[in-house]
């Protein structure tokens, strides 16, 4: 089972992430923990002694009530492996600390924005994403599918993509497709032959075969990020290595209508 940490707030993104996590558990069993960080303002951080400690205990208690409310509301079919972890501090710092100290295999959080590549890049280049010791799954939508896509391009290291993704999905019952992206600014996306994927695609197929995984379908797509992002909506998730800021693949992931699993 994958030891998994799910971050939740009392919002729509977390609601979708909770339901998606329960769906993911059907294909890849999870040992699920949830966490929430109560962030303080500078004014709230001031003060000392028993009064401050009592105030902090009250704030944490309110955070625990928030988490329990969300869990009761969604009532997901995926039991928790332990009590919710609610702490005070900076969200990124506390989440990184929990991921490192807890030895998690996977971190999940909700992310609803799909239209702004700059905002997406700001998230994936944040301290949390750059320092996370494990892959991160960004839940954008409740995608119901039995397939996942490995997103490849000329900028992708196939060895990293296969090694890291199979640590998360290798024992799952998902079917695997390869989606190879080639940028082309055109009104209509084109589906090319496998030969147009080049050596990276060949290496990716070979490495998956050595890992004992068959590929159901290979799609070599020539189009813009919006078109390819829309193509990905048929998948339960799209797997990719971390993209660079100017990479067209980053824009594809920003426009992906499927949840995105980032590995490195």
């Amino acid at each position: 089972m994958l030891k998994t940490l799910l971050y939740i707030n009392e919002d729509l993104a977390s609601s979708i992430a909770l339901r998606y996590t329960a769906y993911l558990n059907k294909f890849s069993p999870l040992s699920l923990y949830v966490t929430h960080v109560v962030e303080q303002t500078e004014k709230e951080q001031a003060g000392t002694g028993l009064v401050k400690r009592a105030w902090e205990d009250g704030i944490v208690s309110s955070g625990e009530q928030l988490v329990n409310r969300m869990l009761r509301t969604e009532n997901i079919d995926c039991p928790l492996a332990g009590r919710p972890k609610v702490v005070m501090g900076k969200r990124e710092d506390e989440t990184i600390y929990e991921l490192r100290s807890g030895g998690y295999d996977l971190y999940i959080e909700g992310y609803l924005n799909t239209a702004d590549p700059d905002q997406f890049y700001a998230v994936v280049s944040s301290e949390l994403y750059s320092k996370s010791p494990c892959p991160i799954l960004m839940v954008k939508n409740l995608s119901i599918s039995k397939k996942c896509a490995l997103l490849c391009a000329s900028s992708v290291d196939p060895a990293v993509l296969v090694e890291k993704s199979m640590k998360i999905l290798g024992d799952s019952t998902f079917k695997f497709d390869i989606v190879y992206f080639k940028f082309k600014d055109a009104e209509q996306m084109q589906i090319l032959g496998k030969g147009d994927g080049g050596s990276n695609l060949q290496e990716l197929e070979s490495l998956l075969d050595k890992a004992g995984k068959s590929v159901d379908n290979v799609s070599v797509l020539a189009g813009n990020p919006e078109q390819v992002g829309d193509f990905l909506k048929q998948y339960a998730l799209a797997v990719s290595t971390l993209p660079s800021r100017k990479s067209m693949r980053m824009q594809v992931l920003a426009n992906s209508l499927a949840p995105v699993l980032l590995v490195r």
Side-chain angles (χ1 to χ4, degrees), residues 196-215:
D196 292 302
S199 59
N200 261 23
L201 176 55
Q202 294 175 8
E203 183 179 355
L204 180 55
E205 287 188 284
S206 175
L207 289 170
L208 285 170
D209 182 63
K210 289 179 181 178
K213 296 298 175 182
S214 60
V215 176

Side-chain angles (χ1 to χ4, degrees), residues 150-154 156 158 162 177-182 192-208 215 217-221:
L150 299 178
L151 183 62
C152 191
S154 60
V156 172
V162 172
D177 284 0
I178 295 175
V179 175
Y180 191 96
F181 167 59
K182 301 184 75 170
L192 307 178
K194 283 179 60 174
D196 292 302
S199 59
N200 261 23
L201 176 55
Q202 294 175 8
E203 183 179 355
L204 180 55
E205 287 188 284
S206 175
L207 289 170
L208 285 170
V215 176
N217 188 59
V218 176
S219 299
V220 180
L221 307 179

Side-chain angles (χ1 to χ4, degrees), residues 11-257:
D11 56 22
L12 178 59
S14 295
S15 174
I16 294 174
L18 271 165
R19 283 178 276 162
Y20 179 83
T21 299
Y23 183 75
L24 179 64
N25 183 58
K26 297 177 181 180
F27 294 87
S28 184
L30 308 175
S31 177
L32 182 63
Y33 296 81
V34 300
T35 187
H36 173 74
V37 179
V38 181
E39 297 195 83
Q40 299 171 275
T41 65
E42 290 185 8
K43 183 178 181 180
E44 290 172 334
Q45 292 173 4
T48 57
L50 294 176
V51 173
K52 182 180 181 182
R53 184 174 301 174
W55 174 81
E56 289 178 344
D57 289 344
I59 294 296
V60 170
S61 178
S62 296
E64 291 172 343
Q65 292 175 28
L66 177 155
V67 170
N68 289 327
R69 248 190 334 265
M70 285 291 293
L71 293 173
R72 286 196 304 270
T73 299
E74 299 304 331
N75 192 28
I76 63 171
D77 185 18
C78 182
L80 299 186
R83 294 182 60 185
K85 301 171 184 289
V86 180
V87 297
M88 292 186 69
K90 293 182 178 180
R91 177 181 170 179
E92 287 196 341
D93 293 344
E94 296 298 335
T95 304
I96 292 170
Y97 175 80
E98 177 62 28
L99 288 172
R100 287 178 172 173
S101 61
Y104 293 91
D105 301 305
L106 177 66
Y107 173 67
I108 303 176
E109 67 176 14
Y111 178 81
L112 296 185
N113 179 279
T114 59
D116 187 347
D118 289 334
Q119 183 174 335
F120 180 84
Y121 181 77
V123 173
V124 301
S125 62
S126 67
E127 187 174 9
L128 172 58
Y129 280 65
S130 60
K131 292 186 177 180
S132 172
C134 64
I136 295 179
L137 178 58
M138 306 172 74
V139 180
K140 294 185 168 193
N141 288 296
L142 184 58
S143 297
I144 305 300
S145 173
K146 296 181 180 180
K147 303 186 297 179
C148 65
L150 299 178
L151 183 62
C152 191
S154 60
S155 59
V156 172
D157 184 334
V160 173
L161 181 58
V162 172
E163 178 188 355
K164 301 300 183 181
S165 64
M166 289 304 107
K167 285 184 178 181
I168 303 300
L169 300 170
D171 293 329
S172 75
T173 56
F174 280 119
K175 295 180 180 179
F176 295 96
D177 284 0
I178 295 175
V179 175
Y180 191 96
F181 167 59
K182 301 184 75 170
F183 174 70
K184 183 176 182 180
D185 192 7
E187 290 187 7
Q188 289 189 332
M189 182 179 70
Q190 293 179 296
I191 299 178
L192 307 178
K194 283 179 60 174
D196 292 302
S199 59
N200 261 23
L201 176 55
Q202 294 175 8
E203 183 179 355
L204 180 55
E205 287 188 284
S206 175
L207 289 170
L208 285 170
D209 182 63
K210 289 179 181 178
K213 296 298 175 182
S214 60
V215 176
D216 272 22
N217 188 59
V218 176
S219 299
V220 180
L221 307 179
N224 62 44
E226 292 82 4
Q227 292 163 341
V228 179
D230 184 66
F231 180 88
L232 293 173
K233 67 184 179 183
Q234 65 184 288
Y235 295 102
L237 56 92
V239 190
S240 175
T241 54
L242 278 169
S244 64
R245 183 184 186 90
K246 296 182 179 180
S247 168
M248 284 294 169
R249 185 164 47 92
M250 189 277 293
Q251 296 193 37
V252 168
L253 295 172
N255 283 279
S256 170
L257 298 178

